[in-house]
Amino acid sequence: MGKVRSRIRSSIDLEQMGHQVGELMIPWSDNAVPLGYHPIPIINIKNGTGKKLLIVGGNHGDEFEGPSAIMRVSQRISVSGINGQILLIPGLSFDAITQSRRTNPLDNKNMNRVFPGNPNGSPTEMLASYLENELMQNFDAIIDLHSGGKASFFMPCSLAYKSQNGKLFQKNLELAKAFGISTIWLLGKNNDNRSLNSAADRANIPMIAAELGGGGGVDPDMTNMAEIGIFNILNHLKIYKGSDTLAGSKFEKIEISNPNASIYSPAFGLFDRIVKAGDIISKGQTAGWFHYITEPERASIKLKFEHSGIILAHSNRGIVKKGEMLALVANKLCLGT
Ligand SMILES: [Zn+2]
């Protein structure tokens, strides 16, 4: 018996030339759709024999900057200007996107924590397996656009996986530089190997992700940055002539080398934040007040950083649960590392 093929298929032939819209079809029998399929809209633009780029947004369903940038790109690009292929998936976790939820309501799974997935698993697991084992094999590069969603806010950055394969790592870095955002977050040993970045690494496909602010809406500066970044990469891969520009000759690299440097909520309460994403912080500095709002007789405490670094992201919530990320701390790396 051979390998189980995916149950997911595309409604359009992705090898066909031209501009086509269609959908990935997930067969999942539930009360809403007992005998049909759950669609994920896709846009495929193909012409000539150049490189092939897969662009994904909505990996998490409450992050709308990436999907907005991808929809803009689909409106701007004409097939005659293309040499190669661009497959746009503006809302990968589509049922999550339609409900502004991080995880997929079909199975409550987090798309970026299920790779390599399972061809016989739940919708999200089936999709992960299809992406890792079938779809991405046909592409020369991948972009996956994220933001902090409703829960958090990230300083804008591109993410490059520190592959054990040196050549692949260099290609990931080249993509990050071409994208143009000046901060590059290197995904090292503390990265979750159930992410799309890890899947691309296993499949030996160059890839970057991006974090584009957050808040659960659409920030115009972040969306502009993503749109420009996509055109820069299309130009870099010689798929589409004419890049937009983004100041981008100087880059800084950051990494989360010490997960214990980040601050998590000590209890249920109110996080009264006084720092912002992108701030450089030093050991002993205050991140904010923590108020025991359900027990006002208790004294509020000052949450302090135990290590120096840069704030990569912070919570976007006021009320937080014990264990929630309040401030994600990374370190700047020396140039050349
Ligand atoms: Zn995300």
Side-chain angles (χ1 to χ4, degrees):
M1 218 177 93
K3 206 165 86 173
V4 179
R5 241 186 87 77
S6 173
R7 295 177 193 281
I8 294 179
R9 62 190 177 88
S10 166
S11 69
I12 53 174
D13 176 4
L14 300 177
E15 295 306 311
Q16 193 181 307
M17 296 290 170
H19 182 293
Q20 304 176 82
V21 293
E23 53 209 14
L24 301 179
M25 304 156 80
I26 305 182
W28 181 249
S29 176
D30 58 11
N31 284 317
V33 185
L35 293 172
Y37 65 92
H38 295 265
I40 300 170
I42 57 175
I43 303 141
N44 191 49
I45 310 168
K46 191 170 188 329
N47 187 23
T49 55
K51 295 223 163 115
K52 301 170 177 185
L53 176 64
L54 170 63
I55 310 179
V56 173
N59 180 325
H60 294 127
D62 62 348
E63 303 170 2
F64 296 102
E65 296 82 354
S68 299
I70 292 172
M71 292 305 292
R72 288 186 191 176
V73 170
S74 81
Q75 307 300 305
R76 280 182 62 184
I77 279 187
S78 60
V79 69
S80 58
I82 294 280
N83 180 26
Q85 182 181 2
I86 310 167
L87 177 61
L88 302 168
I89 310 182
L92 182 64
S93 295
F94 194 68
D95 286 86
I97 281 275
T98 60
Q99 295 185 20
S100 293
R101 285 168 46 123
R102 179 172 174 82
T103 57
N104 196 317
L106 294 179
D107 56 10
N108 280 319
K109 292 218 152 90
N110 177 338
M111 183 80 237
N112 226 24
R113 299 289 184 277
V114 298
F115 288 89
N118 175 357
N120 290 321
S122 70
T124 307
E125 291 167 337
M126 278 194 263
L127 185 56
S129 170
Y130 171 73
L131 285 166
E132 179 164 345
N133 299 309
E134 290 182 43
L135 189 68
M136 69 168 61
Q137 320 284 338
N138 302 317
F139 289 87
D140 298 300
I142 303 169
I143 307 174
D144 181 26
L145 300 172
H146 289 253
S147 80
K150 290 179 185 167
S152 44
F153 185 94
F154 275 81
M155 67 183 288
C157 57
S158 53
L159 289 70
Y161 194 82
K162 255 172 117 177
S163 180
Q164 296 294 312
N165 174 341
K167 275 192 184 153
L168 185 56
F169 178 38
Q170 281 311 313
K171 284 187 179 172
N172 292 345
L173 270 181
E174 279 168 24
L175 279 181
K177 287 180 177 171
F179 194 68
I181 298 182
S182 59
T183 301
I184 302 173
W185 174 8
L186 298 182
L187 300 173
K189 62 182 188 306
N190 293 313
N191 186 52
D192 197 302
N193 65 4
R194 297 166 298 174
S195 66
L196 183 55
N197 279 87
S198 297
D201 190 62
R202 289 189 285 268
N204 201 25
I205 315 282
M207 166 170 169
I208 57 161
E211 288 290 357
L212 302 155
V218 178
D219 179 313
D221 291 342
M222 299 291 172
T223 307
N224 289 344
M225 217 181 271
E227 182 187 12
I228 292 168
I230 291 170
F231 277 101
N232 287 347
I233 286 195
L234 288 171
N235 190 55
H236 171 72
L237 296 175
K238 301 187 167 51
I239 296 172
Y240 194 77
K241 283 207 184 83
S243 64
D244 291 17
T245 49
L246 198 62
S249 51
K250 283 181 97 177
F251 292 91
E252 64 170 9
K253 294 176 192 155
I254 60 170
E255 188 172 13
I256 297 179
S257 55
N258 178 7
N260 295 325
S262 295
I263 292 184
Y264 301 91
S265 180
F268 179 85
L270 178 61
F271 180 44
D272 179 359
R273 175 172 57 85
I274 62 167
V275 290
K276 295 197 296 286
D279 284 358
I280 307 292
I281 49 98
S282 50
K283 181 180 175 178
Q285 191 175 328
T286 302
W289 283 97
F290 185 83
H291 305 298
Y292 295 93
I293 196 164
T294 57
E295 305 163 84
E297 66 279 12
R298 287 180 73 176
S300 299
I301 53 175
K302 270 185 182 173
L303 296 175
K304 291 182 186 291
F305 294 103
E306 290 184 12
H307 300 269
S308 300
I310 180 168
I311 300 185
L312 173 56
H314 58 69
S315 171
N316 198 45
R317 303 194 209 267
I319 289 291
V320 289
K321 285 182 183 164
K322 181 176 170 69
E324 259 188 73
M325 181 276 288
L326 302 182
L328 190 62
V329 177
N331 336 80
K332 287 195 181 197
L333 298 174
C334 299
L335 287 171
T337 53

